[in-house]
Amino acid sequence: DIQMTQSPSSLSASVGDRVTITCQASQDISNYLNWYQQKPGKAPKLLIYDASNLETGVPSRFSGSGSGTDFTFTISSLQPEDIATYYCQQYDNLPTLGFGGGTKVEIK
Amino acid sequence: EVQLVQSGAEVKKPGESLKISCKGSGYSFTSYWIGWVRQMPGKGLEWMGIIYPGDSDTRYSPSFQGQVTISADKSISTAYLQWSSLKASDTAMYYCARLPMSLDYFDYWGQGTLVTVSS
């Protein structure tokens, strides 16, 4: 089973800050990685697919990069509406579709 | 507009059975997979299993194999998640979500169904 390790588990940053979240896979998953945003009390929402592709309608301040085992999700300028928990998800080992543990982002 | 609408919240006792639903609209229901995702209170997302309504091909996460049953009725564009004997540890929010044929990402999600199991 492929394990996805996200870090940090939570962070606090100021409006306008650059925020970076990492996701590490236990084995090479090429670029088979997605990022989701889950706001409190809401269903998750797809933000980034195939490691670096922005889903239609998602603001350009969100970005993703990486391949192999190490991936990064970045918010270039944190906004108040970005308060949420962010999850990575791999699809290298179909049909297993494992999620990372999540990163809770708060405003300082 | 693609929509996945889930059935309402449920409160059940341990040992009872339950079937929750997820109705798709705004797209060809038989051309996409539907997946189920569990979120226990205050915890992260866990993939449970997927079904392809076109031919009812079903795959389960090893963690949930034998614990739940996933099914679909393509005539009414609805997928289901069911339990034969609930446990308190099944208390969680359950989401359905759509996946393309390539099974790479969950692109549309239902609003979630909260299941509470308590004596």
Side-chain angles (χ1 to χ4, degrees), chain A residues 45-49 53-59, chain B residues 105 107-108:
Chain A
K45 174 188 174 184
L46 177 66
L47 298 183
I48 304 281
Y49 63 95
N53 294 308
L54 200 64
E55 175 71 341
T56 303
V58 173
Chain B
Y105 49 73
D107 60 357
Y108 286 90

Side-chain angles (χ1 to χ4, degrees), chain B residues 23-84:
Chain B
K23 182 173 177 61
S25 63
Y27 72 99
S28 174
F29 189 71
T30 54
S31 299
Y32 290 81
W33 293 79
I34 291 287
W36 287 95
V37 175
R38 183 176 79 173
Q39 188 167 39
M40 299 178 77
K43 302 298 184 182
L45 304 172
E46 300 174 272
W47 168 75
M48 301 176 71
I50 54 174
I51 187 165
Y52 187 69
D55 61 7
S56 293
D57 183 7
T58 307
R59 321 283 179 88
Y60 293 93
S61 161
S63 300
F64 292 92
Q65 179 82 49
Q67 308 305 307
V68 296
T69 301
I70 294 171
S71 60
D73 184 341
K74 62 184 179 183
S75 70
I76 55 171
S77 301
T78 301
Y80 302 96
L81 177 66
Q82 69 180 85
W83 295 259
S84 58

Side-chain angles (χ1 to χ4, degrees), chain A residues 1 34 36 38 41-46 49-50 55 87 89-91 94-101, chain B residues 37 39 43-47 50 59-62 95 99 102-112:
Chain A
D1 240 21
N34 308 312
Y36 298 84
Q38 186 179 31
K42 299 294 187 183
K45 174 188 174 184
L46 177 66
Y49 63 95
D50 295 348
E55 175 71 341
Y87 294 92
Q89 175 247 318
Q90 66 82 21
Y91 59 96
L94 292 176
T96 302
L97 301 156
F99 290 93
Chain B
V37 175
Q39 188 167 39
K43 302 298 184 182
L45 304 172
E46 300 174 272
W47 168 75
I50 54 174
R59 321 283 179 88
Y60 293 93
S61 161
Y95 293 101
L99 303 97
S102 49
L103 281 176
D104 39 12
Y105 49 73
F106 298 93
D107 60 357
Y108 286 90
W109 293 69
Q111 83 276 20

